Amino acid sequence: MTQADPKLLANIRIVLARTSHPGNIGAAARAMKTMGLSQLYLVQPTLFPNSQADAMAASAGDLLAQAQVCITLEEALAGTVLAFGVSARRRDIVTEVLTPPEAAVRLLTEAQAAPVALVFGNETSGLSNEELSLCQGLVSIAANPDYSSLNLAAAVQVLSYEIRQTWLQHPSWPPPEIDAARLDDVERFYAHLETALTELEFLNQGSPGKLMLKLRWLFSRTRLAQEEVNILRGILTAAQTAKRLAGPLRDRKPE
Ligand code: SAH
């Protein structure tokens, strides 16, 4: 039997957002290394590097030494084509909810072509809506409904384990269905969309409401291909040009 390809595991990032307890960072690194994962990204950790992190990492200190410390989640996700937020089930978010084995299949399929990520939240507050809006789906561990909040590193262990089991069971994968856009290109599209909607006087920056968040959920329910992002941005540019030529709505004479 062919061996599972280690390159796939090397393309999976574990991103810990705003971790409060450095011990959890070390324990997460250990959880990852025991399952063959190595790419640890830390977004604004409260304390890092730290002796408690080193102690809890045991022989996974190399992952801590190589960890990428980022200021923003966008930075940690740059270059990835798929990111799932990991969170106990949330009713306030309109997005796809996957089980850990389903997420493992999706991540490993895409990891053949480009980096992918799992994003874990802060120990007390979990993932913010803003953080989740950068992800294309939610992975939930079906835990005891009366107490469903796992320790952060325990949640990393569960997901890392599922990824490894799925990886071991599939020595080969069908290629990814689409040439998915990288998340930094998708973020540039959202920024362009916001600017264009403001110029078109559809979005009022004085009372934006949740329009941009809702549009993000809309697009995150589909996988945008790189070519589709280019087309959408072309449409926005055409609309902006037409609007600039037509001038502000208030200056328009009634027909
Ligand atoms: N009170 C927080 C708990 C955070 S626990 C909350 O309600 O979100 C820290 C992190 O561990 C979470 O952000 C999530 O990434 C992960 N986690 C804990 N329990 C989980 C579960 N049942 N399913 C998926 N992720 C979980």
Side-chain angles (χ1 to χ4, degrees):
M1 199 175 93
T2 4
Q3 291 282 304
D5 182 358
K7 193 185 81 205
L8 268 54
L9 297 185
N11 256 349
I12 297 182
R13 294 183 193 171
I14 297 293
V15 181
L16 306 183
R18 298 174 293 110
T19 313
S20 307
H21 303 293
N24 278 335
I25 299 176
R30 184 175 185 173
M32 288 168 63
K33 189 168 177 180
T34 53
M35 297 296 134
L37 297 177
S38 56
Q39 303 300 307
L40 177 60
Y41 283 66
L42 306 171
V43 181
Q44 287 189 24
T46 307
L47 283 170
F48 187 82
N50 180 272
S51 58
Q52 282 179 47
D54 296 340
M56 291 301 281
S59 294
D62 52 332
L63 265 66
L64 296 183
Q66 294 157 21
Q68 303 283 331
V69 181
C70 304
I71 310 268
T72 63
L73 182 53
E74 283 93 330
E75 200 186 311
L77 297 180
T80 63
V81 289
L82 179 65
F84 290 135
V86 186
S87 165
R89 226 168 210 295
R90 290 174 54 153
R91 254 172 269 127
D92 56 329
I93 300 293
V94 198
T95 191
E96 193 180 7
V97 182
L98 299 105
T99 63
E102 287 166 350
V105 169
R106 295 270 298 274
L107 291 166
L108 286 161
T109 304
E110 297 292 334
Q112 295 178 97
V116 296
L118 279 173
V119 185
F120 294 79
N122 168 270
E123 291 91 333
T124 315
S125 55
L127 286 170
S128 68
N129 282 349
E130 202 189 336
E131 285 164 341
L132 273 171
S133 74
L134 295 171
C135 303
Q136 282 79 59
L138 205 74
V139 189
S140 221
I141 301 165
N144 174 5
D146 295 333
Y147 187 36
S148 62
S149 184
L150 279 76
N151 163 268
L152 170 60
V156 172
Q157 186 75 74
V158 170
L159 267 300
S160 303
Y161 171 81
E162 291 290 355
I163 289 169
R164 186 170 187 82
Q165 301 321 300
T166 308
W167 177 72
L168 285 171
Q169 286 157 20
H170 295 77
S172 66
W173 292 89
E177 281 171 18
I178 57 164
D179 175 21
R182 299 196 175 241
L183 298 192
D184 21 332
D185 283 326
V186 178
E187 282 308 309
R188 278 189 281 274
F189 160 64
Y190 288 137
H192 190 173
L193 181 62
E194 184 164 5
T195 310
L197 292 178
T198 308
E199 285 179 23
L200 292 166
E201 300 178 61
F202 185 81
L203 174 63
N204 179 352
Q205 288 294 351
S207 59
K210 289 194 171 168
L211 180 68
M212 287 314 299
L213 197 58
K214 288 180 177 170
L215 289 172
R216 278 171 172 270
W217 292 129
L218 164 69
F219 285 108
S220 74
R221 288 202 298 275
T222 178
R223 298 294 316 287
L224 287 171
Q226 184 60 55
E227 191 192 14
E228 291 160 348
V229 170
N230 297 343
I231 292 171
L232 286 167
R233 293 201 59 181
I235 294 171
L236 292 176
T237 304
Q240 285 172 296
T241 309
K243 171 69 180 168
R244 279 171 205 157
L245 290 170
L249 284 177
R250 68 181 132 71
D251 294 348
R252 258 184 243 163
K253 296 197 175 69
E255 309 226 328

